[in-house]
Amino acid sequence: MPKLKPEDLDRIAAKMKKTINLREGESRARVIVHMGTCGIAAGARTVMTALMEEIEKRDLKDVILTLSSCAGFCSREPMVTVEMKNEPPVKYVDLTPDKAKEILEKHVIGGNIVKEYALAVGSERVL
Amino acid sequence: MQRLHAMICTCTNCISNGALKIKNALEAEIVKQSLENDVLVVQTGASGLCVKGPILIVQPDGIFYQYIQEKDIPNLVQEHFLKGRPVKELMYVPEGKDIPIPKISDIPFFKDQRLIALRNRGIIDPESIDEYIANDGYKALAKVLTGMSPEDVIKEITDAGLRGRGGAGFPTGKKWDICRSQVLEKRKQSKNLRCYVICNADEGDPGAFMDRSIVEADPHSIIEGMCIGGYAMGATDGYIYLRIEYPLAIARMKTAIKLAKEYGLLGENIFGSDFSFDIEIFEGAGAFVCGEETSLIHSLEGIVPEPTQKPPFPAQSGLWGAPTNINNVETWANVPMIISWGAKWFSQIGTETSRGTKVFSLAGNVNNAGLVEVPMGITLREIVYDIGAGIPNNKKLKAVQTGGPSGGFIPARLLHLPVDYERLKEVGAIMGSGGMVVMDEDTCIVDIAKFFLTFTSDESCGKCSTCREGSITLIEILDKISNGEGEESDLDYLEELCIAIKDASMCGLGQTLPNPVLSTLRHFRDEFLDHIKHKKCPAGVCKPLVRYYINADKCTGCTLCGRECPADAISGMVKKPHEIDLNKCTKCGICVKVCKIGAAYSK
Ligand SMILES: Cc1cc2nc3c(=O)[nH]c(=O)nc-3n(C[C@H](O)[C@H](O)[C@H](O)COP(=O)(O)O)c2cc1C
């Protein structure tokens, strides 16, 4: 192995940063996939996998993907909640892997809520 | 890239509680539930609350699980890892409450700590150098080697106000400065003289595990600190003196050194500079006196590890006669942080004379025993009651003992005392290397002072008669007192002897071994007098002074104590009050244990 130069430290750190960030809970955004029995049955795992792949592919270092239990709205699963730093959480319903990727791109990266898939109180699509 | 990291603590404590089995079971279950792309299992060093081990911390949410058993794993993996429902039953529940606290950052034990030396505990895998680097590891070394002169480095450490964490609290910058000038002086005569820095990881205090935990959790922090120190003082080689009873720490340190060498962070021309430095581990056989610096050096040289007179100090004539600097594990671990973040940052933490933080192993009669790192100046009350969550079974606090076997006792009424080098010294205790034992009302002061003395007496190397014989005589007098044969004049004799031992012993072992006696005489004289004048042991520990009785007003005559008494010392008719024959009683205490209504008692 070649000997390190001072600038190599940043290269290694950058490579590892995502891993370490996850452990320190510091992030710009948190994407929560609801994985109750209902969610899993409705395909939440495929949504989760799609999001994981996309985050990996785009090398998003400050986005944490996590999961939570049933959001209490089983008929509209799979559901995802997006929590951007300093903004109220937004819930998305009836998701597919493709829709999830779109949300990641438009909301998490772009900062714009994807109104078509978003849910507010009740079951109407508002916002 | 996994979305969840299951950080399993694999410190010595947790491993002895089955952490490796849990780790294997966890990995198997994750495969079984097809979650290997979702969850990464990472082994870490001690989380600090390892009395509740095995410990698992799940990130990114920081969910803290304790007392994990193999049988809990399938449910845990399914509920938390698959469905995202953290398992309440395995969470930490505060003393006297029944609602669990899920997140590690909300648990008072962790919340009130300030991590500098333990900055990477539970966050990185100690066997991965890349993870250390990801958390700014080796940046301080790069900074030093690319832009700081040795004098700059020493000035930074001096300005930070760092003091040695191994016991005496000597200012580290000053020590480095003295060593550097010795190195420069000696190099005038012999240009290629090898000079040494040593990490003292002997950790001989019974019950202490601060240094072990740092080595196990973050070995690179020590390597980096030593490289920086080596550069500052002009040393060529480093030794880590690690006791052989710490096999895991040795293994982790070996791995770390190997990885650092592969990256060229140890060896020739580090970071392409002209600084070359190497580190070797020396496995010490684990005698207390080997922690004393001159003994340690002799042990490294392969001769009998007895202390020798100072001066010459190690900086003048240390390992193989060359200038040598010894620092404690925790001292070294602080160094990279001071270089990275600056002396100003460090010096703002703590008190006027004691900067930064201190790691303590909190033990004894306290609910949350464990490893804590706190800013200097924190009060004992905060440590015992906020972080330690108080005394078990609603007992009263009697004393806090700091500084290991040669430390002192601080009575409960001084709980408001801020912890720093000077304040502890004022009340007759010492900071020491960070032992902190909490003692409740059931502790007998005479007995516990004897306990510490028995340790130091055993560990005395025997070179100085005051230490060798003096300690034995102290124990004999204490024995006499706890047997009820003490006289008031014994207390003066004890004091006089203690002072003689302090004055006439050559090394720190003898000079400090009287501390437990002196500080108890100072703060708990009444308890000594109870033993001597009233022939009573208030805590009920000194057997010859304890008497067992049955309260005739309470006794219902159930006959249980009579049947259980192994000495047949209890008599009485059914439904009539029972009585103990004090001549037959062997003071085993079984009657008190079995009595359901508290009629049997001792005093
Ligand atoms: C009997 C005795 C035992 C000691 N044991 C240790 C020890 O286990 N670890 C340690 O770091 N220092 C120990 N010391 C203190 C060392 O002699 C020395 O002061 C210390 O390692 C210096 O490092 P520091 O300046 O970083 O504290 C001991 C001293 C005495 C007298």
Side-chain angles (χ1 to χ4, degrees), chain A residues 74-92:
Chain A
C74 310
S75 59
R76 305 297 297 275
E77 297 276 9
M79 283 175 67
V80 162
T81 304
V82 173
E83 292 178 8
M84 302 294 285
K85 201 165 193 166
N86 306 325
E87 282 173 36
V90 178
K91 281 198 166 48
Y92 292 102

Side-chain angles (χ1 to χ4, degrees), chain B residues 75-96:
Chain B
N75 184 49
L76 176 78
V77 171
Q78 177 172 352
E79 285 298 304
H80 187 164
F81 297 176
L82 181 62
K83 296 186 178 168
R85 286 195 292 240
V87 181
K88 288 204 176 63
E89 294 73 33
L90 296 173
M91 290 174 184
Y92 171 84
V93 183
E95 216 47 44

Side-chain angles (χ1 to χ4, degrees), chain B residues 164-166 175 200 203-204 288 291-293 326-328 331 508-509:
Chain B
R165 303 295 195 241
K175 193 150 134 183
N200 188 346
E203 194 162 55
F288 181 59
E292 194 282 331
E293 52 191 13
I326 301 188
N327 279 120
N328 164 264
T331 315
L509 202 163

Side-chain angles (χ1 to χ4, degrees), chain B residues 157-158 161-164 168-178 327:
Chain B
I157 299 296
T158 307
L162 177 65
R163 294 172 66 172
F170 193 84
T172 305
K174 194 166 165 193
K175 193 150 134 183
W176 287 18
D177 193 36
I178 296 170
N327 279 120

Side-chain angles (χ1 to χ4, degrees), chain A:
Chain A
M1 186 168 315
K3 287 187 172 186
L4 293 195
K5 301 208 176 51
E7 54 276 19
D8 293 330
L9 291 178
D10 286 337
R11 182 182 51 77
I12 296 172
K15 186 184 81 190
M16 299 298 296
K17 205 67 206 166
K18 222 166 17 173
T19 307
I20 295 295
N21 274 354
L22 183 118
R23 293 180 200 162
E24 291 176 339
E26 285 283 332
S27 66
R28 186 172 54 86
R30 200 174 261 271
V31 180
I32 304 161
V33 183
H34 297 274
M35 297 264 275
T37 307
C38 45
I40 295 173
R45 285 222 63 178
T46 58
V47 169
M48 172 66 97
T49 311
L51 285 169
M52 273 167 69
E53 282 168 9
E54 201 62 18
I55 289 174
E56 181 90 331
K57 204 169 84 195
R58 292 169 178 270
D59 200 25
L60 301 178
K61 295 194 176 63
D62 51 0
V63 174
I64 285 177
L65 183 63
T66 179
L67 47 75
S68 157
S69 56
C70 168
F73 199 31
C74 310
S75 59
R76 305 297 297 275
E77 297 276 9
M79 283 175 67
V80 162
T81 304
V82 173
E83 292 178 8
M84 302 294 285
K85 201 165 193 166
N86 306 325
E87 282 173 36
V90 178
K91 281 198 166 48
Y92 292 102
V93 291
D94 297 328
L95 294 183
T96 62
D98 284 338
K99 287 184 189 170
K101 283 186 198 167
E102 193 182 331
I103 291 166
L104 194 75
E105 168 153 5
K106 291 187 176 153
H107 188 176
V108 179
I109 301 173
N112 298 311
I113 295 169
V114 189
K115 291 183 187 156
E116 307 93 281
Y117 312 142
L119 167 94
V121 187
S123 61
E124 311 140 26
R125 281 166 204 188
V126 282
L127 285 164

Side-chain angles (χ1 to χ4, degrees), chain B residues 162-172 175-176 198-205 211 241 243 287-296 307 310 325-332 405-406 421 432-433 456 459 507-512:
Chain B
L162 177 65
R163 294 172 66 172
R165 303 295 195 241
F170 193 84
T172 305
K175 193 150 134 183
W176 287 18
I198 296 174
C199 170
N200 188 346
D202 187 53
E203 194 162 55
D205 291 10
D211 295 344
Y241 190 96
R243 62 171 43 217
F288 181 59
V289 78
C290 288
E292 194 282 331
E293 52 191 13
T294 59
S295 299
L296 187 150
K310 292 188 278 191
N325 178 79
I326 301 188
N327 279 120
N328 164 264
V329 169
E330 191 185 332
T331 315
W332 288 120
S406 37
Y421 290 97
S433 62
T456 35
E459 295 287 341
C507 90
L509 202 163
Q511 287 160 7
T512 57

Side-chain angles (χ1 to χ4, degrees), chain B residues 445-522:
Chain B
I445 284 300
V446 180
D447 182 69
I448 197 80
K450 204 163 61 185
F451 167 82
F452 283 115
L453 269 177
T454 310
F455 174 82
T456 35
S457 172
D458 275 353
E459 295 287 341
S460 167
C461 78
K463 192 168 177 172
C464 308
S465 56
T466 40
C467 171
R468 184 185 67 235
E469 304 297 328
S471 61
I472 294 174
T473 310
L474 286 179
I475 294 172
E476 283 169 1
I477 303 172
L478 291 174
D479 255 337
K480 195 176 142 197
I481 295 174
S482 54
N483 283 335
E485 295 152 5
E487 298 153 50
E488 259 187 275
S489 59
D490 285 339
L491 297 187
D492 297 333
Y493 182 37
L494 272 179
E495 215 150 34
E496 199 179 326
L497 184 56
C498 282
I499 290 164
I501 296 173
K502 258 183 175 319
D503 285 348
S505 299
M506 193 184 66
C507 90
L509 202 163
Q511 287 160 7
T512 57
L513 79 81
N515 282 347
V517 180
L518 286 173
S519 71
T520 46
L521 278 176
R522 173 167 164 191

